[in-house]
Amino acid sequence: MIRLVIVDDHAIVRHGLKQILALAPDISVVGEAAGGEGLQHVLVQTACDIVLLDMNMPGLSGVDLIKWLRTEHPNLPILVLSMHAEGQIASRALKAGASGYLTKDSEPEILLGAIRKVSGGGKFIDAALVETLVFGHDPEGCAPHEELSERELQVFLMLTSGRTISEIASDLFLSIKTVSTHKFRLMRKMNLQTSTDLVRYAIRHQLIDG
């Protein structure tokens, strides 16, 4: 039996995943958390074989959370299940130590297969992202968001998901001034002027659903 922990800040997503996984006789959901801090508590109390992880959550999340897991639980496989169908984000997750990456619009059978493969020590990449990851990016043709730092990218994704600067500051345990600085820098790098421009850019590059 594969013992799995779900980490996603949306309760309805966790509930839906548990319904899907309940149909698999060889997979058991033994815990769930809404973010990195909750996952830390779950792992202290619960033995598991794989973590199914969202990338963009309040508090400790994304690349930082993956790196923490690799340090504290080096033998625990991580499968990222993200809304972001973008090779650059997947690449960052894999370089940080995730064993697999797939998007939330994947079919249930694909998700189950990915869980089985990653929990068994294998690697799994969403088929839609394979070409980008294999052949990489042309430096001359990099999209502006690919030049952002890890923190700038995290703030960018949170802004486009509808969070305010105050909410982001609280979620990331940063000052409002620091988040505002990150926003200013990322908008300058991307040559955007308004929050609406950010959302339009994210939709155009399939970083969020339109």
Side-chain angles (χ1 to χ4, degrees), residues 11-29:
I12 193 168
V13 172
R14 299 197 304 272
H15 178 71
L17 287 171
K18 286 189 290 185
Q19 287 189 314
I20 292 172
L21 299 175
L23 301 176
D26 58 335
I27 300 173
S28 175
V29 178

Side-chain angles (χ1 to χ4, degrees), residues 5 7 16 24 39 66 79 83 94-95 99 117 140 149 159:
V5 172
V7 190
L39 175 61
I66 293 172
L79 175 61
M83 66 177 288
L94 296 170
K95 287 178 180 178
S99 299
K117 188 170 184 179
E140 296 296 326
S149 69
L159 285 168

Side-chain angles (χ1 to χ4, degrees), residues 12 34 51 69 74 107 114-115 125-126 131 158-159 174 176 192:
I12 193 168
V51 172
L69 283 166
E107 294 295 330
I115 290 171
I125 307 297
D126 192 309
E131 182 175 343
M158 295 178 81
L159 285 168
L174 299 173
I176 291 176
L192 301 175

Side-chain angles (χ1 to χ4, degrees), residues 133-153:
L133 292 173
V134 170
F135 295 105
H137 303 274
D138 179 0
E140 296 296 326
C142 281
H145 69 275
E146 296 176 13
E147 303 300 322
L148 300 179
S149 69
E150 295 289 351
R151 183 64 81 186
E152 288 167 349
L153 180 63

Side-chain angles (χ1 to χ4, degrees), residues 60-208:
L60 181 64
S61 66
V63 168
D64 291 336
L65 179 53
I66 293 172
K67 289 180 177 178
W68 178 85
L69 283 166
R70 286 280 61 82
T71 299
E72 299 297 326
H73 304 273
N75 297 318
L76 181 60
I78 303 165
L79 175 61
V80 173
L81 180 64
S82 174
M83 66 177 288
H84 303 299
E86 215 282 332
Q88 187 245 6
I89 296 175
S91 178
R92 293 190 182 197
L94 296 170
K95 287 178 180 178
S99 299
Y101 190 105
L102 75 163
T103 57
K104 289 182 177 178
D105 60 357
S106 300
E107 294 295 330
E109 294 78 11
I110 302 297
L111 172 62
L112 296 177
I115 290 171
R116 292 176 179 123
K117 188 170 184 179
V118 170
S119 66
K123 305 287 185 181
F124 183 90
I125 307 297
D126 192 309
L129 301 174
V130 169
E131 182 175 343
T132 301
L133 292 173
V134 170
F135 295 105
H137 303 274
D138 179 0
E140 296 296 326
C142 281
H145 69 275
E146 296 176 13
E147 303 300 322
L148 300 179
S149 69
E150 295 289 351
R151 183 64 81 186
E152 288 167 349
L153 180 63
Q154 188 176 27
V155 170
F156 166 64
L157 294 174
M158 295 178 81
L159 285 168
T160 57
S161 70
R163 289 192 173 96
T164 66
I165 287 178
S166 296
E167 291 170 338
I168 294 171
S170 176
D171 289 345
L172 299 181
F173 305 107
L174 299 173
S175 70
I176 291 176
K177 181 179 179 180
T178 298
V179 175
S180 296
T181 299
H182 285 310
K183 180 181 179 182
F184 172 78
R185 289 175 176 170
L186 71 88
M187 292 189 72
R188 183 176 59 184
K189 287 182 179 180
M190 299 171 71
N191 195 29
L192 301 175
Q193 304 299 319
T194 68
S195 296
T196 300
D197 291 338
L198 284 176
V199 174
R200 287 173 178 166
Y201 179 97
I203 293 173
R204 187 166 66 252
H205 288 269
Q206 298 183 325
L207 299 171
I208 61 174

